[in-house]
mmCIF file of all heavy atoms in Angstrom:
data_model
loop_
_atom_site.group_PDB
_atom_site.id
_atom_site.type_symbol
_atom_site.label_atom_id
_atom_site.label_comp_id
_atom_site.label_asym_id
_atom_site.label_seq_id
_atom_site.Cartn_x
_atom_site.Cartn_y
_atom_site.Cartn_z
ATOM 1 N N GLY A 1 6.367 16.634 -5.350
ATOM 2 C CA GLY A 1 6.319 15.202 -5.069
ATOM 3 C C GLY A 1 5.681 14.920 -3.720
ATOM 4 O O GLY A 1 4.881 13.977 -3.582
ATOM 5 N N ALA A 2 6.023 15.739 -2.717
ATOM 6 C CA ALA A 2 5.475 15.546 -1.377
ATOM 7 C C ALA A 2 3.972 15.790 -1.348
ATOM 8 O O ALA A 2 3.217 15.057 -0.693
ATOM 9 C CB ALA A 2 6.179 16.473 -0.388
ATOM 10 N N VAL A 3 3.522 16.792 -2.081
ATOM 11 C CA VAL A 3 2.091 17.105 -2.113
ATOM 12 C C VAL A 3 1.311 15.976 -2.762
ATOM 13 O O VAL A 3 0.267 15.532 -2.256
ATOM 14 C CB VAL A 3 1.834 18.429 -2.854
ATOM 15 C CG1 VAL A 3 0.346 18.600 -3.153
ATOM 16 C CG2 VAL A 3 2.333 19.603 -2.019
ATOM 17 N N PHE A 4 1.810 15.484 -3.893
ATOM 18 C CA PHE A 4 1.092 14.403 -4.570
ATOM 19 C C PHE A 4 1.134 13.106 -3.764
ATOM 20 O O PHE A 4 0.193 12.309 -3.813
ATOM 21 C CB PHE A 4 1.645 14.198 -5.983
ATOM 22 C CG PHE A 4 1.056 15.142 -6.985
ATOM 23 C CD1 PHE A 4 1.733 16.297 -7.351
ATOM 24 C CD2 PHE A 4 -0.194 14.898 -7.538
ATOM 25 C CE1 PHE A 4 1.176 17.174 -8.266
ATOM 26 C CE2 PHE A 4 -0.755 15.764 -8.454
ATOM 27 C CZ PHE A 4 -0.068 16.913 -8.826
ATOM 28 N N LEU A 5 2.213 12.885 -3.020
ATOM 29 C CA LEU A 5 2.267 11.736 -2.126
ATOM 30 C C LEU A 5 1.193 11.855 -1.041
ATOM 31 O O LEU A 5 0.482 10.877 -0.740
ATOM 32 C CB LEU A 5 3.647 11.619 -1.474
ATOM 33 C CG LEU A 5 3.794 10.529 -0.396
ATOM 34 C CD1 LEU A 5 3.501 9.142 -0.976
ATOM 35 C CD2 LEU A 5 5.179 10.586 0.226
ATOM 36 N N ALA A 6 1.054 13.045 -0.474
ATOM 37 C CA ALA A 6 0.047 13.265 0.559
ATOM 38 C C ALA A 6 -1.356 13.048 0.012
ATOM 39 O O ALA A 6 -2.207 12.422 0.664
ATOM 40 C CB ALA A 6 0.183 14.675 1.128
ATOM 41 N N LEU A 7 -1.611 13.520 -1.209
ATOM 42 C CA LEU A 7 -2.932 13.327 -1.825
ATOM 43 C C LEU A 7 -3.204 11.849 -2.099
ATOM 44 O O LEU A 7 -4.326 11.360 -1.923
ATOM 45 C CB LEU A 7 -3.023 14.132 -3.118
ATOM 46 C CG LEU A 7 -3.049 15.652 -2.962
ATOM 47 C CD1 LEU A 7 -2.973 16.327 -4.329
ATOM 48 C CD2 LEU A 7 -4.305 16.092 -2.212
ATOM 49 N N HIS A 8 -2.155 11.158 -2.548
ATOM 50 C CA HIS A 8 -2.303 9.727 -2.808
ATOM 51 C C HIS A 8 -2.638 8.973 -1.523
ATOM 52 O O HIS A 8 -3.562 8.137 -1.496
ATOM 53 C CB HIS A 8 -1.019 9.175 -3.416
ATOM 54 C CG HIS A 8 -0.979 7.678 -3.490
ATOM 55 N ND1 HIS A 8 -1.739 6.949 -4.382
ATOM 56 C CD2 HIS A 8 -0.275 6.756 -2.760
ATOM 57 C CE1 HIS A 8 -1.513 5.663 -4.218
ATOM 58 N NE2 HIS A 8 -0.629 5.521 -3.241
ATOM 59 N N LEU A 9 -1.909 9.254 -0.450
ATOM 60 C CA LEU A 9 -2.152 8.575 0.821
ATOM 61 C C LEU A 9 -3.538 8.892 1.367
ATOM 62 O O LEU A 9 -4.207 8.018 1.939
ATOM 63 C CB LEU A 9 -1.071 8.957 1.833
ATOM 64 C CG LEU A 9 0.338 8.467 1.516
ATOM 65 C CD1 LEU A 9 1.328 8.994 2.549
ATOM 66 C CD2 LEU A 9 0.379 6.952 1.465
ATOM 67 N N LEU A 10 -3.973 10.135 1.174
ATOM 68 C CA LEU A 10 -5.322 10.506 1.595
ATOM 69 C C LEU A 10 -6.362 9.695 0.835
ATOM 70 O O LEU A 10 -7.308 9.150 1.420
ATOM 71 C CB LEU A 10 -5.545 11.995 1.370
ATOM 72 C CG LEU A 10 -6.963 12.523 1.676
ATOM 73 C CD1 LEU A 10 -7.293 12.320 3.160
ATOM 74 C CD2 LEU A 10 -7.076 13.992 1.288
ATOM 75 N N SER A 11 -6.178 9.586 -0.482
ATOM 76 C CA SER A 11 -7.108 8.814 -1.309
ATOM 77 C C SER A 11 -7.138 7.352 -0.896
ATOM 78 O O SER A 11 -8.216 6.732 -0.793
ATOM 79 C CB SER A 11 -6.704 8.936 -2.782
ATOM 80 O OG SER A 11 -7.488 8.097 -3.600
ATOM 81 N N VAL A 12 -5.957 6.773 -0.646
ATOM 82 C CA VAL A 12 -5.872 5.370 -0.235
ATOM 83 C C VAL A 12 -6.604 5.140 1.081
ATOM 84 O O VAL A 12 -7.374 4.182 1.236
ATOM 85 C CB VAL A 12 -4.402 4.929 -0.116
ATOM 86 C CG1 VAL A 12 -4.293 3.570 0.579
ATOM 87 C CG2 VAL A 12 -3.755 4.876 -1.488
ATOM 88 N N ASN A 13 -6.375 6.027 2.046
ATOM 89 C CA ASN A 13 -6.983 5.844 3.362
ATOM 90 C C ASN A 13 -8.496 6.015 3.332
ATOM 91 O O ASN A 13 -9.223 5.286 4.015
ATOM 92 C CB ASN A 13 -6.358 6.817 4.360
ATOM 93 C CG ASN A 13 -4.950 6.413 4.756
ATOM 94 O OD1 ASN A 13 -4.609 5.238 4.751
ATOM 95 N ND2 ASN A 13 -4.118 7.388 5.085
ATOM 96 N N VAL A 14 -8.971 6.966 2.540
ATOM 97 C CA VAL A 14 -10.418 7.160 2.416
ATOM 98 C C VAL A 14 -11.050 5.945 1.744
ATOM 99 O O VAL A 14 -12.073 5.423 2.195
ATOM 100 C CB VAL A 14 -10.732 8.442 1.625
ATOM 101 C CG1 VAL A 14 -12.218 8.509 1.270
ATOM 102 C CG2 VAL A 14 -10.339 9.674 2.434
ATOM 103 N N ASN A 15 -10.416 5.474 0.653
ATOM 104 C CA ASN A 15 -10.918 4.304 -0.044
ATOM 105 C C ASN A 15 -10.934 3.079 0.871
ATOM 106 O O ASN A 15 -11.902 2.304 0.887
ATOM 107 C CB ASN A 15 -10.056 4.020 -1.271
ATOM 108 C CG ASN A 15 -10.369 2.674 -1.901
ATOM 109 O OD1 ASN A 15 -11.415 2.485 -2.508
ATOM 110 N ND2 ASN A 15 -9.449 1.729 -1.757
ATOM 111 N N ARG A 16 -9.869 2.901 1.637
ATOM 112 C CA ARG A 16 -9.790 1.754 2.544
ATOM 113 C C ARG A 16 -10.894 1.808 3.594
ATOM 114 O O ARG A 16 -11.538 0.781 3.880
ATOM 115 C CB ARG A 16 -8.435 1.732 3.228
ATOM 116 C CG ARG A 16 -8.235 0.542 4.173
ATOM 117 C CD ARG A 16 -6.985 0.721 5.000
ATOM 118 N NE ARG A 16 -7.143 1.836 5.932
ATOM 119 C CZ ARG A 16 -6.134 2.516 6.453
ATOM 120 N NH1 ARG A 16 -4.890 2.224 6.111
ATOM 121 N NH2 ARG A 16 -6.357 3.503 7.290
ATOM 122 N N ALA A 17 -11.119 2.977 4.164
ATOM 123 C CA ALA A 17 -12.140 3.111 5.204
ATOM 124 C C ALA A 17 -13.527 2.770 4.667
ATOM 125 O O ALA A 17 -14.300 2.036 5.309
ATOM 126 C CB ALA A 17 -12.128 4.530 5.770
ATOM 127 N N ILE A 18 -13.854 3.280 3.479
ATOM 128 C CA ILE A 18 -15.166 3.023 2.884
ATOM 129 C C ILE A 18 -15.298 1.559 2.483
ATOM 130 O O ILE A 18 -16.299 0.898 2.780
ATOM 131 C CB ILE A 18 -15.395 3.944 1.673
ATOM 132 C CG1 ILE A 18 -15.464 5.410 2.128
ATOM 133 C CG2 ILE A 18 -16.672 3.560 0.935
ATOM 134 C CD1 ILE A 18 -15.483 6.401 0.990
ATOM 135 N N SER A 19 -14.269 1.037 1.799
ATOM 136 C CA SER A 19 -14.314 -0.358 1.337
ATOM 137 C C SER A 19 -14.415 -1.333 2.500
ATOM 138 O O SER A 19 -15.113 -2.353 2.419
ATOM 139 C CB SER A 19 -13.065 -0.680 0.507
ATOM 140 O OG SER A 19 -13.003 0.111 -0.649
ATOM 141 N N THR A 20 -13.719 -1.039 3.594
ATOM 142 C CA THR A 20 -13.739 -1.921 4.754
ATOM 143 C C THR A 20 -15.129 -1.985 5.377
ATOM 144 O O THR A 20 -15.645 -3.065 5.690
ATOM 145 C CB THR A 20 -12.706 -1.466 5.798
ATOM 146 O OG1 THR A 20 -11.392 -1.557 5.224
ATOM 147 C CG2 THR A 20 -12.764 -2.328 7.052
ATOM 148 N N LYS A 21 -15.759 -0.850 5.546
ATOM 149 C CA LYS A 21 -17.110 -0.832 6.129
ATOM 150 C C LYS A 21 -18.100 -1.574 5.235
ATOM 151 O O LYS A 21 -18.931 -2.361 5.716
ATOM 152 C CB LYS A 21 -17.566 0.612 6.350
ATOM 153 C CG LYS A 21 -16.859 1.315 7.490
ATOM 154 C CD LYS A 21 -17.424 2.685 7.732
ATOM 155 C CE LYS A 21 -16.734 3.371 8.905
ATOM 156 N NZ LYS A 21 -16.972 2.656 10.190
ATOM 157 N N ILE A 22 -18.014 -1.352 3.919
ATOM 158 C CA ILE A 22 -18.931 -2.034 2.994
ATOM 159 C C ILE A 22 -18.692 -3.534 3.007
ATOM 160 O O ILE A 22 -19.637 -4.336 3.031
ATOM 161 C CB ILE A 22 -18.771 -1.458 1.574
ATOM 162 C CG1 ILE A 22 -19.257 -0.012 1.524
ATOM 163 C CG2 ILE A 22 -19.538 -2.309 0.561
ATOM 164 C CD1 ILE A 22 -18.986 0.688 0.208
ATOM 165 N N THR A 23 -17.423 -3.957 2.998
ATOM 166 C CA THR A 23 -17.109 -5.386 2.961
ATOM 167 C C THR A 23 -17.555 -6.089 4.237
ATOM 168 O O THR A 23 -18.098 -7.208 4.181
ATOM 169 C CB THR A 23 -15.600 -5.602 2.738
ATOM 170 O OG1 THR A 23 -15.212 -4.969 1.513
ATOM 171 C CG2 THR A 23 -15.277 -7.080 2.649
ATOM 172 N N TYR A 24 -17.342 -5.458 5.378
ATOM 173 C CA TYR A 24 -17.821 -6.056 6.633
ATOM 174 C C TYR A 24 -19.336 -6.260 6.589
ATOM 175 O O TYR A 24 -19.852 -7.299 7.040
ATOM 176 C CB TYR A 24 -17.442 -5.176 7.820
ATOM 177 C CG TYR A 24 -16.180 -5.604 8.532
ATOM 178 C CD1 TYR A 24 -14.936 -5.162 8.110
ATOM 179 C CD2 TYR A 24 -16.234 -6.458 9.638
ATOM 180 C CE1 TYR A 24 -13.774 -5.555 8.760
ATOM 181 C CE2 TYR A 24 -15.085 -6.858 10.302
ATOM 182 C CZ TYR A 24 -13.855 -6.407 9.861
ATOM 183 O OH TYR A 24 -12.713 -6.810 10.505
ATOM 184 N N PHE A 25 -20.043 -5.285 6.037
ATOM 185 C CA PHE A 25 -21.501 -5.405 5.938
ATOM 186 C C PHE A 25 -21.898 -6.528 4.979
ATOM 187 O O PHE A 25 -22.794 -7.329 5.283
ATOM 188 C CB PHE A 25 -22.097 -4.073 5.481
ATOM 189 C CG PHE A 25 -23.600 -4.075 5.404
ATOM 190 C CD1 PHE A 25 -24.365 -4.263 6.539
ATOM 191 C CD2 PHE A 25 -24.241 -3.906 4.188
ATOM 192 C CE1 PHE A 25 -25.751 -4.277 6.476
ATOM 193 C CE2 PHE A 25 -25.628 -3.916 4.108
ATOM 194 C CZ PHE A 25 -26.385 -4.111 5.262
ATOM 195 N N ILE A 26 -21.218 -6.610 3.848
ATOM 196 C CA ILE A 26 -21.498 -7.680 2.885
ATOM 197 C C ILE A 26 -21.216 -9.050 3.504
ATOM 198 O O ILE A 26 -22.010 -9.993 3.367
ATOM 199 C CB ILE A 26 -20.659 -7.489 1.603
ATOM 200 C CG1 ILE A 26 -21.148 -6.265 0.826
ATOM 201 C CG2 ILE A 26 -20.729 -8.736 0.716
ATOM 202 C CD1 ILE A 26 -20.261 -5.882 -0.337
ATOM 203 N N PHE A 27 -20.089 -9.179 4.197
ATOM 204 C CA PHE A 27 -19.758 -10.451 4.842
ATOM 205 C C PHE A 27 -20.802 -10.819 5.902
ATOM 206 O O PHE A 27 -21.155 -11.992 6.062
ATOM 207 C CB PHE A 27 -18.375 -10.389 5.468
ATOM 208 C CG PHE A 27 -17.239 -10.597 4.494
ATOM 209 C CD1 PHE A 27 -17.442 -10.450 3.132
ATOM 210 C CD2 PHE A 27 -15.976 -10.938 4.934
ATOM 211 C CE1 PHE A 27 -16.409 -10.644 2.224
ATOM 212 C CE2 PHE A 27 -14.931 -11.142 4.042
ATOM 213 C CZ PHE A 27 -15.150 -10.991 2.689
#
């Protein structure tokens, strides 16, 4: 459970970082 939680949080943070940079550029 701890490993999959860590993978999930990693995925969320990577997605957030990429999406944020793209959205700022679009705006």
